[in-house]
Amino acid sequence: MPVISVPQDFNSEELYVDLRSIFGHSLFLKCEGFNFAGSIKLKAAAEMVAAAERDGVLMPKSILVESSSGNLGVALSMIAASKGYRFLCVTDSRCNLSTRRLMEAFGSQVHIIAEPDANGGFLGARIAHVRGLCASDDRYVWLNQYANPGNWKAHYNRTAPAIAAAFPGLDVLFVGAGTTGTLMGCARYFWERHRRVRVVAVDSVGSVTFGGAPGRRMIPGLGTSVRPPLLDESYVDEVVLVDEADTIRACHRLARSGFLFGGSTGTVVSGAMGWLARHDAHELTAVAIAPDLGERYLDTIYQTNWLQGVYGEDVLSSGELTAGSRSA
C-alpha cells in the first residue's frame, strides 16, 4: 500500500504520499488539494491579493479580473467573496464545467473564450480580453498571475520551505510548469536558501513554455501557448515533456490505487517516474508537487466518452480504465 505521511499537527498542506508501491520508484507526492479552494493556487491568490491591497491597487469599488484555466479562478472567487470584492474570471472552453460552476457558486462571473488567438492560442485570446476590459473601465484590477512576483513569492516563502523541512535530504524536486509561479518560487528557494537540489520542470507536449512547438492541449493546468514572463530557465536543471495520453494513464493508475488526482498531477507523476526510471534513481529522495485533486475532472479525464472523443479508442486499455469511467 502507498505510504501516507501527515505531520503531527495535521497541517493539511503537509500531506505526502509515497508512490513506490504503485510505480516501483519512491516518489513522495506533496498533496496540495486539501484547502478550501482545493488547489495550490490558493497560496498565489492570497499573496497577490494581499500585495494589491498593500499597494493600494484594490479599492472597495474594484472588480478583480484574471485569466485562468480554472484553479486560480476558484481561489480568487473564494477570496473575493470573503473580502467583498467582485471577480470576473476569463477562461476558455477547456475549463472543466464543475470548476466554472464552483466559481459561479462563490458569486463570480465567468467569461468563456471560445476561439483561440491565431498566434497566442487560448491564453493569448484570454489575455487580450482581459486587457480590453481594463482599458474600458478603470474599476477592473488585473493581478496578472503570469507576471506578478507574488505568484512565485508565495511558493518561495511557503511551499519550498515546507518541502525542505520535511525532506532535509532531498535530491530532486519535480514541479509542473503552468504560469511557472510554483516552479520559480521553489527553484529560487533551493538555489538561494538551501543545499543544492536538482529541480526538474514537467511540462505538457504542445506547450511553448520551454521553446517547444505549439500543439493541441486539452487538459487545463500545465503548459502555455505564450511563454510566461515569470520564467527564468537558469534556475531549472532539466525539463521533461509529457504527452497528454501519458497524463491520462498516470491519473487512472493512481485512481486504481485509491488516489483521485487532477490532470496536472498526472502529468507531473508521469514525467517524474520516467525521469527516475532513466536515472536508476532508487537511492534518491524525490518529491513531486500535486497541485489539486481529481473531483473536478470526473467529466473529462475520468469519463470514457470524453477520453475516446478527444484521444481515440486506444488511449486506455480496458485494464487501465477506472470502473467509473467505463462505458455502460
Side-chain angles (χ1 to χ4, degrees), residues 221-288:
L222 300 187
T224 62
S225 53
V226 178
R227 180 182 168 90
L230 291 178
L231 177 62
D232 183 343
E233 291 184 62
S234 67
Y235 289 98
V236 179
D237 294 291
E238 295 182 51
V239 178
V240 174
L241 297 179
V242 175
D243 188 89
E244 285 193 338
D246 292 322
T247 293
I248 298 295
R249 295 183 185 107
C251 285
H252 281 255
R253 192 168 177 183
L254 286 163
R256 293 200 316 276
S257 297
F259 297 100
L260 194 72
F261 285 107
S264 297
T265 298
T267 302
V268 172
V269 168
S270 179
M273 287 303 173
W275 188 97
L276 292 169
R278 290 191 298 273
H279 288 78
D280 190 25
H282 291 283
E283 302 304 317
L284 294 180
T285 298
V287 171

Side-chain angles (χ1 to χ4, degrees), residues 82-101:
S82 70
K83 289 177 172 286
Y85 296 120
R86 293 169 61 188
F87 172 56
L88 169 61
C89 180
V90 179
T91 187
D92 60 62
S93 55
R94 298 169 300 177
C95 180
N96 298 320
L97 177 61
S98 60
T99 300
R100 302 202 304 260
R101 287 177 172 170

